[in-house]
PDB file of all heavy atoms in Angstrom:
ATOM      1  N   TRP A  75      36.333  15.343  22.057  1.00 95.00           N
ATOM      2  CA  TRP A  75      34.910  15.455  22.291  1.00 95.00           C
ATOM      3  C   TRP A  75      34.397  14.111  22.897  1.00 95.00           C
ATOM      4  O   TRP A  75      34.691  13.078  22.474  1.00 95.00           O
ATOM      5  CB  TRP A  75      34.227  15.833  21.180  1.00 95.00           C
ATOM      6  CG  TRP A  75      32.682  16.108  21.305  1.00 95.00           C
ATOM      7  CD1 TRP A  75      31.653  15.283  21.162  1.00 95.00           C
ATOM      8  CD2 TRP A  75      32.133  17.363  21.784  1.00 95.00           C
ATOM      9  NE1 TRP A  75      30.525  15.972  21.606  1.00 95.00           N
ATOM     10  CE2 TRP A  75      30.717  17.163  21.958  1.00 95.00           C
ATOM     11  CE3 TRP A  75      32.716  18.544  22.087  1.00 95.00           C
ATOM     12  CZ2 TRP A  75      29.945  18.264  22.367  1.00 95.00           C
ATOM     13  CZ3 TRP A  75      31.865  19.682  22.512  1.00 95.00           C
ATOM     14  CH2 TRP A  75      30.530  19.409  22.705  1.00 95.00           C
ATOM     15  N   SER A  76      33.454  14.331  23.853  1.00 94.00           N
ATOM     16  CA  SER A  76      32.871  12.969  24.398  1.00 94.00           C
ATOM     17  C   SER A  76      31.237  13.223  24.333  1.00 94.00           C
ATOM     18  O   SER A  76      30.856  14.088  24.994  1.00 94.00           O
ATOM     19  CB  SER A  76      33.298  12.840  25.934  1.00 94.00           C
ATOM     20  OG  SER A  76      32.343  11.822  26.559  1.00 94.00           O
ATOM     21  N   ASP A  77      30.560  12.505  23.636  1.00 92.00           N
ATOM     22  CA  ASP A  77      29.184  12.415  23.551  1.00 92.00           C
ATOM     23  C   ASP A  77      28.488  12.222  24.983  1.00 92.00           C
ATOM     24  O   ASP A  77      27.443  12.854  25.267  1.00 92.00           O
ATOM     25  CB  ASP A  77      28.619  11.458  22.591  1.00 92.00           C
ATOM     26  CG  ASP A  77      28.831  11.886  21.229  1.00 92.00           C
ATOM     27  OD1 ASP A  77      28.996  13.026  20.905  1.00 92.00           O
ATOM     28  OD2 ASP A  77      28.838  11.032  20.206  1.00 92.00           O
ATOM     29  N   LYS A  78      29.147  11.220  25.736  1.00 94.00           N
ATOM     30  CA  LYS A  78      28.619  10.996  27.047  1.00 94.00           C
ATOM     31  C   LYS A  78      28.693  12.256  27.885  1.00 94.00           C
ATOM     32  O   LYS A  78      27.771  12.547  28.814  1.00 94.00           O
ATOM     33  CB  LYS A  78      29.297   9.805  27.628  1.00 94.00           C
ATOM     34  CG  LYS A  78      29.032   8.510  26.878  1.00 94.00           C
ATOM     35  CD  LYS A  78      29.794   7.340  27.345  1.00 94.00           C
ATOM     36  CE  LYS A  78      29.206   6.170  26.535  1.00 94.00           C
ATOM     37  NZ  LYS A  78      30.022   4.920  26.812  1.00 94.00           N
ATOM     38  N   LEU A  79      29.851  12.963  27.919  1.00 95.00           N
ATOM     39  CA  LEU A  79      29.977  14.187  28.743  1.00 95.00           C
ATOM     40  C   LEU A  79      28.960  15.269  28.112  1.00 95.00           C
ATOM     41  O   LEU A  79      28.470  16.111  28.901  1.00 95.00           O
ATOM     42  CB  LEU A  79      31.325  14.707  28.633  1.00 95.00           C
ATOM     43  CG  LEU A  79      32.407  13.871  29.567  1.00 95.00           C
ATOM     44  CD1 LEU A  79      33.791  14.549  29.326  1.00 95.00           C
ATOM     45  CD2 LEU A  79      31.992  13.817  30.950  1.00 95.00           C
ATOM     46  N   HIS A  80      28.756  15.228  26.908  1.00 94.00           N
ATOM     47  CA  HIS A  80      27.807  16.157  26.215  1.00 94.00           C
ATOM     48  C   HIS A  80      26.390  15.965  26.816  1.00 94.00           C
ATOM     49  O   HIS A  80      25.605  17.055  26.995  1.00 94.00           O
ATOM     50  CB  HIS A  80      27.831  15.987  24.793  1.00 94.00           C
ATOM     51  CG  HIS A  80      27.178  17.165  24.044  1.00 94.00           C
ATOM     52  ND1 HIS A  80      26.180  16.966  23.074  1.00 94.00           N
ATOM     53  CD2 HIS A  80      27.115  18.487  24.226  1.00 94.00           C
ATOM     54  CE1 HIS A  80      25.757  18.089  22.603  1.00 94.00           C
ATOM     55  NE2 HIS A  80      26.309  19.092  23.421  1.00 94.00           N
ATOM     56  N   TYR A  81      26.064  14.677  26.928  1.00 94.00           N
ATOM     57  CA  TYR A  81      24.720  14.402  27.504  1.00 94.00           C
ATOM     58  C   TYR A  81      24.556  15.016  28.975  1.00 94.00           C
ATOM     59  O   TYR A  81      23.595  15.579  29.301  1.00 94.00           O
ATOM     60  CB  TYR A  81      24.285  12.892  27.522  1.00 94.00           C
ATOM     61  CG  TYR A  81      24.304  12.313  26.109  1.00 94.00           C
ATOM     62  CD1 TYR A  81      24.738  11.011  26.063  1.00 94.00           C
ATOM     63  CD2 TYR A  81      23.658  13.064  25.086  1.00 94.00           C
ATOM     64  CE1 TYR A  81      24.763  10.443  24.715  1.00 94.00           C
ATOM     65  CE2 TYR A  81      23.750  12.427  23.701  1.00 94.00           C
ATOM     66  CZ  TYR A  81      24.241  11.135  23.603  1.00 94.00           C
ATOM     67  OH  TYR A  81      24.207  10.613  22.405  1.00 94.00           O
ATOM     68  N   ALA A  82      25.644  14.887  29.700  1.00 96.00           N
ATOM     69  CA  ALA A  82      25.651  15.390  31.068  1.00 96.00           C
ATOM     70  C   ALA A  82      25.596  16.868  31.111  1.00 96.00           C
ATOM     71  O   ALA A  82      24.929  17.485  31.740  1.00 96.00           O
ATOM     72  CB  ALA A  82      26.890  14.799  31.734  1.00 96.00           C
ATOM     73  N   ALA A  83      26.410  17.503  30.255  1.00 96.00           N
ATOM     74  CA  ALA A  83      26.463  18.961  30.126  1.00 96.00           C
ATOM     75  C   ALA A  83      25.146  19.551  29.702  1.00 96.00           C
ATOM     76  O   ALA A  83      24.718  20.573  30.115  1.00 96.00           O
ATOM     77  CB  ALA A  83      27.582  19.367  29.305  1.00 96.00           C
ATOM     78  N   SER A  84      24.565  18.781  28.683  1.00 94.00           N
ATOM     79  CA  SER A  84      23.148  19.268  28.141  1.00 94.00           C
ATOM     80  C   SER A  84      22.127  19.159  29.237  1.00 94.00           C
ATOM     81  O   SER A  84      21.333  20.110  29.446  1.00 94.00           O
ATOM     82  CB  SER A  84      22.768  18.419  26.906  1.00 94.00           C
ATOM     83  OG  SER A  84      23.638  18.727  25.907  1.00 94.00           O
TER      84      SER A  84
END
Side-chain angles (χ1 to χ4, degrees):
W75 185 265
S76 167
D77 286 336
K78 291 175 180 178
L79 288 178
H80 191 226
Y81 298 143
S84 293

